[in-house]
Amino acid sequence: MSRKRFVGTVLVMRIDVLTLFPAMFAGPLDESIIKRARDAGLLDLQIHNLREYAHDRHKTVDDRPFGGGPGMLLKPEPLFEAIEDLSRDSAHVVLLSPSGRVFNQGIARDLTQHKHLVLVTGHYEGFDERVRAELADDELSIGDYVLTNGALPAMVLIDTVTRLLPGVLGDEKSSHDESFSHGLLEYPQYTRPAECRGMKVPEILLSGNHAQIARWRAEQAKSRTTELRPDLLAENSQNTPENPEQCRATGQS
Ligand code: 9D3
């Protein structure tokens, strides 16, 4: 059951990215589903070089922290100018930084509700606090590991959000997504041949008994999750393939 089947008007999401490394964005977002979404006009994606918003002779975008300490901070003025320039229509401004809350499928789903996102990718030791306080609506990390900058996290976010936009995936794939967004890992899957290098496909999958197959898959998903991702079960003890709403609320899938 599609909750947001759209019939009439096509919704376009606009995403502006502010980065010191615009060249990193060439490639990943010009392929496959994201390319198709852009070509179809469902995603209007613009990459901006933060350095273009620096007005001094040396196009300075960073400086040393007051009070001392290691590394450099992004200066506030270029960010203020850039974000004022890009988000006249009250866009949702998201900082990508290791100190943000950790991005997940639920946050991605929430982000699809905005018409316009401005993603600000971090660098060095981070942002001047006034940027955080005055400009940011949210601050997101993609996980507890240290990258060299926020460009890859921005691309991860764009990829995740874009495939959720109405019309980007075919109907078939999106309904597949919904029925499997239950906060459990996938059950094991097999294709032909029925035997490969002495390894056989589980008999039950060849049986044609769809009720039994559904039960087997549910059990497999549960035991696999217990083994590999017990954290998913701990977060939400209500997870079952028959009860997808519960885990939507907690932002898993
Ligand atoms: C103060 C020590 N470092 C924080 C762990 C400073 C720092 C290191 C690397 C600050 C920024 C970065 C670059 N990373 C990002 O901008 C980033 C990031 C990441 O490194 N991991 C997961 N998600 C993200 S979102 C942006």
Side-chain angles (χ1 to χ4, degrees), residues 96-98 121-126 140-150 153:
L96 282 308
S97 104
T121 70
H123 183 42
Y124 309 118
E125 300 303 311
L140 297 174
S141 158
I142 62 164
D144 295 336
Y145 37 83
V146 182
L147 299 163
T148 55
N149 64 72

Side-chain angles (χ1 to χ4, degrees), residues 23-24 73 80 90 113 119 184 232:
M24 282 186 73
L73 299 178
F80 271 87
S90 69
Q113 300 307 305
L119 307 182
L184 295 174
L232 293 182

